[in-house]
Amino acid sequence: MSLAIQNLTPVIGAEVSGVDLSRIDDAMAAELRRLLADRGVLVFRDQHLDHDAHKRAAACFGTGQLHCHPLAAASGSGDPAVLTVRATAKSRFAAGDGWHTDVSCDPAPIRASLLYMHEMPESGGGDTVFASMTEAYALLSQPVRELIGKLRAVHDGALPWRQGYGREPEPGTEYNRTSHPIVIAHPDSGKPLLWVNRGFTTRIEGVGRLESRALLEMLFQHIEATPRLQCRVRWEQNTLVIWDNIATQHHAVWDYFPHTRHAERVSAVGGELMAA
Ligand code: SIN
């Protein structure tokens, strides 16, 4: 197979053609890992994958171990490693409709996610916007880099539940809560990158409550209001997108209500994060 690569922007994202993800061999997996480390987001059109092929493709990334999402069992896929991402006319919120990295609350967060699109909303919409966290860090001023380089922040798995449903998680449900450095080193390139996100990060340790809130809000706005960090993926049925979940954040735009969008995600676990 010979790959053709079309960048989405100079900073982030590429559309890749000439690859059948249901038949990746070791050489292709190595090439895709290299490309992902370089571009952060890879878009593949016209893929045909059942659950096993989807999981085999995901296992080429990270430690090879697949992530079992706490909500996967209830999501309807019937497989703990396959998370159904579905919004319909009955949905009160759509998963991923807000800037986040996937489960950054885990001690060893997801390294890469592979989302496969089954059904697109019939009147358009349903894009996903991605942002580069290496570029977000690179664009910060030196005094701010020095300040946040010494700090850690707490990421709480209950936060998306509170934000989505507007109430506390069901009693007895356990979500991870982990402290990570705010600036981490990318596991492949070693480049420093910003590791806080509105979806999971609740507070900065060792500073006052108001200082934490103001600092986090400044960093979130830097990410969300700087379009040059971002690329926008327009999906089609049978598109599969792989994102580097350490080097990027994303926002799945819920602009298609009351229509249905249905996809499935399989994610590969990575290692513990290291300060830059
Ligand atoms: C997610 O956050 O994993 C879902 C992304 C999407 O639906 O585009």
Side-chain angles (χ1 to χ4, degrees):
M1 290 188 252
S2 80
L3 300 185
I5 295 146
Q6 176 80 52
N7 287 350
L8 298 187
T9 80
V11 169
I12 177 173
E15 186 147 339
V16 184
S17 48
V19 52
D20 176 354
L21 292 170
S22 68
R23 297 191 302 122
I24 307 184
D25 59 16
D26 289 349
M28 180 57 70
E31 179 62 7
L32 293 182
R33 284 193 293 270
R34 194 196 58 72
L35 256 182
L36 187 64
D38 185 37
R39 303 304 307 165
V41 178
L42 304 178
V43 180
F44 303 84
R45 305 290 179 192
D46 198 25
Q47 299 295 317
H48 298 276
L49 303 168
D50 58 17
H51 282 178
D52 283 345
H54 194 171
K55 289 194 288 185
R56 268 198 310 277
C60 296
F61 298 89
T63 58
Q65 186 196 331
L66 299 182
H67 182 262
C68 290
H69 197 283
L71 300 178
S75 77
S77 74
D79 186 323
V82 180
L83 179 72
T84 300
V85 178
R86 184 182 173 91
T88 70
K90 295 196 180 125
S91 299
R92 285 167 51 204
F93 71 93
D97 180 26
W99 282 100
H100 67 287
T101 42
D102 294 332
V103 289
S104 62
C105 55
D106 286 3
I110 287 173
R111 182 72 179 75
S113 282
L114 287 76
L115 187 72
Y116 181 45
M117 188 57 64
H118 289 287
E119 181 181 350
M120 282 300 291
E122 64 188 53
S123 287
D127 295 354
T128 306
V129 189
F130 293 88
S132 161
M133 291 305 103
T134 40
E135 189 70 4
Y137 179 78
L139 291 179
L140 289 171
S141 64
Q142 192 56 31
V144 171
R145 285 191 206 172
E146 278 166 25
L147 172 64
I148 63 174
K150 304 184 192 91
L151 298 172
R152 301 176 69 90
V154 176
H155 297 239
D156 186 346
L159 185 61
W161 185 278
R162 288 190 204 110
Q163 287 172 341
Y165 288 107
R167 58 183 163 84
E168 289 302 309
E170 302 298 329
T173 350
E174 291 290 325
Y175 288 99
N176 281 334
R177 189 187 299 129
T178 307
S179 160
H180 295 294
I182 292 184
V183 182
I184 60 165
H186 189 271
D188 293 331
S189 66
K191 284 188 189 164
L193 61 91
L194 192 54
W195 183 258
V196 287
N197 69 89
R198 200 184 281 284
F200 286 91
T201 315
T202 50
R203 65 184 164 81
I204 298 178
E205 294 176 327
V207 302
R209 195 165 48 87
L210 288 179
E211 291 170 323
S212 165
R213 197 190 299 164
L215 261 174
L216 282 177
E217 190 56 35
M218 184 269 288
L219 295 172
F220 295 156
Q221 288 200 20
H222 170 61
I223 293 160
E224 296 162 12
T226 310
R228 66 189 266 201
L229 309 174
Q230 302 169 6
C231 70
R232 191 166 178 120
V233 171
R234 194 162 285 269
W235 297 84
E236 293 161 5
Q237 189 181 358
N238 299 329
T239 297
L240 185 139
V241 174
I242 307 178
W243 60 87
D244 179 333
N245 190 57
I246 304 298
T248 66
Q249 293 192 17
H250 56 283
H251 178 172
V253 183
W254 191 24
D255 55 357
Y256 49 88
F257 183 85
H259 300 294
T260 295
R261 178 179 182 270
H262 171 213
E264 288 185 322
R265 193 182 92 195
V266 180
S267 300
V269 175
E272 197 183 328
L273 302 175
M274 307 306 262

